[in-house]
Amino acid sequence: TDDNAGSDDGRDRGPARAGAYYDDDDEQEDATYEDVRSIQIRRDVLEKWINEPFFADVVKNLMVRVAVGENPKTGDTMYVMAQVESVEEYTRSDGSPHVYSISAGGVKTAKQLNCIRGASSKRFEMRLVSNRSITQEEYSAWRSYSEKQMRLNRDLSLIPTKAEVEQCRAQLKHGAEYKYT
């Protein structure tokens, strides 16, 4: 995991917000669990859109539920919620493309998602993105971690506002309604 807390890595995380100072401005209000679930993109949609010209623009800032390993006590897959920062080419150390299937027998790609969680970023193969909804527990853990990171670095803005959620919904709508000209 690339933990870039406190580093200036050039990532655009937007201006810091002080939500408490926006009394009546709903657009500056932090996104709720339901808001965040409405901008989740699932693996099946990623696979459907991967080769579309709008792909990288549409998935930016959307939320994913991504597998990060196995719970040592139960053996179950552990998932976390993260935000897509960008789409990047997945290359091997020799510079050649690293091609993988997004799902069993599915579309192959050499693209991966660069996701942020708190002040950290990590690249994930899209095969690790879940088709199931983000759970309340995963949302609560993400929100708690994000709030902790924002307390440590007041320049970070990690929780989307309702206005940012609306922008993401518009991106999803653009992808769903895309017409070739």
Side-chain angles (χ1 to χ4, degrees), residues 8-86:
D8 181 15
D9 60 5
R11 290 183 294 194
D12 180 16
R13 298 264 167 72
R17 293 186 307 272
Y21 296 110
Y22 294 96
D23 294 337
D24 296 321
D25 191 357
D26 287 345
E27 289 189 349
Q28 292 301 320
E29 190 177 319
D30 284 348
T32 65
Y33 170 60
E34 290 303 321
D35 291 329
V36 165
R37 281 189 55 193
S38 76
I39 60 168
Q40 177 185 359
I41 191 159
R42 292 171 170 79
R43 183 181 62 246
D44 57 352
V45 177
L46 292 169
E47 187 169 30
K48 181 179 174 182
W49 290 351
I50 187 69
N51 293 314
E52 298 295 344
F54 58 77
F55 183 74
D57 292 331
V58 166
V59 301
K60 184 177 172 65
N61 297 321
L62 298 182
M63 298 297 185
V64 290
R65 179 178 190 250
V66 64
V68 294
E70 189 176 286
N71 183 322
K73 294 179 183 174
T74 66
D76 294 336
T77 302
M78 293 184 347
Y79 292 91
V80 297
M81 186 180 130
Q83 188 171 27
V84 177
E85 184 175 40
S86 62

Side-chain angles (χ1 to χ4, degrees), residues 2-179:
D2 297 331
D3 190 351
N4 295 316
S7 71
D8 181 15
D9 60 5
R11 290 183 294 194
D12 180 16
R13 298 264 167 72
R17 293 186 307 272
Y21 296 110
Y22 294 96
D23 294 337
D24 296 321
D25 191 357
D26 287 345
E27 289 189 349
Q28 292 301 320
E29 190 177 319
D30 284 348
T32 65
Y33 170 60
E34 290 303 321
D35 291 329
V36 165
R37 281 189 55 193
S38 76
I39 60 168
Q40 177 185 359
I41 191 159
R42 292 171 170 79
R43 183 181 62 246
D44 57 352
V45 177
L46 292 169
E47 187 169 30
K48 181 179 174 182
W49 290 351
I50 187 69
N51 293 314
E52 298 295 344
F54 58 77
F55 183 74
D57 292 331
V58 166
V59 301
K60 184 177 172 65
N61 297 321
L62 298 182
M63 298 297 185
V64 290
R65 179 178 190 250
V66 64
V68 294
E70 189 176 286
N71 183 322
K73 294 179 183 174
T74 66
D76 294 336
T77 302
M78 293 184 347
Y79 292 91
V80 297
M81 186 180 130
Q83 188 171 27
V84 177
E85 184 175 40
S86 62
V87 177
E88 301 186 11
E89 292 301 315
Y90 191 12
T91 57
R92 300 179 191 281
S93 58
D94 67 1
S96 66
H98 180 96
V99 178
Y100 66 95
S101 292
I102 296 176
S103 62
V107 174
K108 293 185 179 195
T109 187
K111 295 178 185 173
Q112 59 186 346
L113 301 177
N114 188 41
C115 297
I116 54 174
R117 180 172 167 81
S120 301
S121 83
K122 183 173 182 173
R123 293 182 180 105
F124 292 97
E125 292 182 4
M126 286 175 255
R127 67 181 179 83
L128 298 174
V129 174
S130 178
N131 272 328
R132 296 202 174 159
S133 294
I134 295 165
T135 67
Q136 178 69 51
E137 181 181 9
E138 291 158 353
Y139 168 79
S140 295
W142 166 81
R143 186 167 180 107
S144 175
Y145 184 68
S146 295
E147 288 171 346
K148 178 181 176 186
Q149 294 296 307
M150 290 187 315
R151 282 192 301 274
L152 294 172
N153 184 347
R154 298 211 182 267
D155 291 335
L156 290 178
S157 176
L158 302 172
I159 299 173
T161 64
K162 290 191 177 278
E164 291 166 334
V165 166
E166 284 305 314
Q167 174 60 41
C168 288
R169 286 181 184 146
Q171 290 168 215
L172 282 167
K173 184 177 180 182
H174 172 74
E177 297 175 354
Y178 184 81
K179 303 278 190 254

